[in-house]
């Protein structure tokens, strides 16, 4: 008899709990109350401070200087220096690019203490597997140049390259000739160093992903496949402008660049044709990694659009 009464008591308690739950669900809306009960069994959400910290880590991951703070400042190159890994451990992927006012070349120099006079750098703790020269045709673009150098130096250091940056400046008031400056840059760079690879780099294009390796392929490489100017898409198949890479052998095989394009445009298409006529083809990184942000500007005086482009 006692056992029977106990069972009835538990049954009534269970029914009472059900009635309370139903009342709560109907009082302020089913969805709201179901959410409340589900929270009881879920892990607690991140606190606001934890959420802030995670956000801060994400932002820091896009800082092009983030992985370079622990590099040694002593250049201890010698016969026993090990080769750098085939894939650099410093590569971080996407880079946050912005153009803050007030940036100076002195600040660029301060943030790159391992770069020596002449824009030269070697990894301090290992022997680089690749030697790359960067050729930048230039005139009246000092404002753009400081932003490019601010991002390009750490970008190349994260890839553990031995590199040199050559700014090839056209003096005077003659019409600008980009391709001719690149020919000059090739000659001057190769006089100083036996470079494996030469990147011909517009001054107003900033790379947005350091997985876009500044090394040469078996064929000429077009690195700037996805510019924000073109909606991060390749404008047409034979486009070879912006940022491109050649080995010394590629350059000689295609007989360098044309010298007869004065003003803006035309020479990059000619170069693409030269690649094809030399029996080579254009390689490219993926649209995901070959992203570049362009510094917006108007056409310079003396660099009007080439009417024959």
């Amino acid at each position: 008899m006692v056992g029977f009464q106990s069972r009835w008591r538990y049954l009534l308690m269970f029914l009472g709990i059900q009635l309370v739950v139903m009342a709560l669900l109907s009082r302020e809306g089913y969805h709201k109350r179901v959410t409340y009960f589900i929270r009881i069994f879920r892990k607690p959400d991140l606190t606001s401070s934890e959420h802030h910290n995670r956000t801060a880590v994400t932002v820091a991951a896009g800082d092009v200087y983030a992985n370079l703070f622990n590099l040694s400042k002593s250049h201890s190159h010698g016969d026993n220096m090990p080769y750098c890994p085939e894939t650099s451990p410093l590569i971080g992927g996407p880079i946050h690019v912005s153009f803050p006012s007030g940036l100076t070349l002195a600040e660029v120099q301060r943030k790159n203490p391992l770069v020596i006079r002449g824009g030269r750098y070697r990894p301090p703790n290992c022997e680089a597997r690749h030697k790359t020269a960067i050729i930048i045709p230039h005139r009246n673009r000092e404002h753009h140049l400081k932003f490019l150098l601010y991002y390009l130096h750490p970008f190349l250091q994260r890839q553990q390259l031995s590199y040199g940056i050559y700014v090839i400046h056209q003096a005077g008031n003659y019409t600008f000739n980009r391709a001719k400056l690149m020919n000059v840059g090739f000659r001057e760079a190769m006089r100083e160093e036996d470079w494996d690879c030469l990147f011909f780099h517009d001054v107003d294009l900033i790379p947005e992903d350091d997985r876009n390796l500044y090394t040469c392929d078996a064929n000429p490489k077009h690195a700037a496949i996805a510019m924000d100017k073109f909606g991060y898409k390749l404008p047409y198949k034979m486009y070879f402008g912006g940022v491109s890479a050649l080995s010394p052998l590629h350059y000689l095989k295609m007989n360098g660049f044309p010298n007869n394009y004065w003003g803006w445009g035309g020479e990059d298409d000619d170069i693409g044709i030269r690649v094809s006529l030399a029996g080579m083809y254009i390689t490219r990184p993926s649209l995901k990694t070959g992203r570049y942000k362009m510094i917006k500007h108007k056409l310079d005086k003396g660099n009007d659009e080439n009417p024959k482009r």
Side-chain angles (χ1 to χ4, degrees), residues 39-91:
R39 283 178 183 170
I40 297 175
F41 301 101
R42 287 176 58 185
K43 292 181 179 180
D45 293 336
L46 291 173
T47 63
S48 59
S49 61
E50 289 173 327
H51 177 74
H52 174 76
N53 290 339
R54 286 199 177 184
T55 304
V57 169
T58 302
V59 172
D63 180 4
V64 71
Y65 287 92
N67 295 347
L68 302 177
F69 296 126
N70 294 327
L71 289 181
S72 170
K73 292 187 178 182
S74 61
H75 287 267
S76 55
H77 289 273
D79 295 336
N80 297 325
M81 181 72 68
Y83 277 104
C84 299
E86 291 188 10
T87 301
S88 171
L90 303 177
I91 288 177

Side-chain angles (χ1 to χ4, degrees), residues 129-144:
R129 292 178 178 270
H130 304 279
K131 297 188 300 181
T132 298
I134 312 295
I135 311 297
I136 305 173
H138 175 269
R139 186 176 68 179
N140 300 330
R141 293 287 191 88
E142 287 76 12
H143 179 67
H144 297 166

Side-chain angles (χ1 to χ4, degrees), residues 113-131:
L114 300 184
V115 176
I116 63 174
R117 186 177 179 84
R120 303 289 288 271
Y121 172 88
R122 292 190 297 173
N125 302 319
C126 59
E127 191 70 33
R129 292 178 178 270
H130 304 279
K131 297 188 300 181

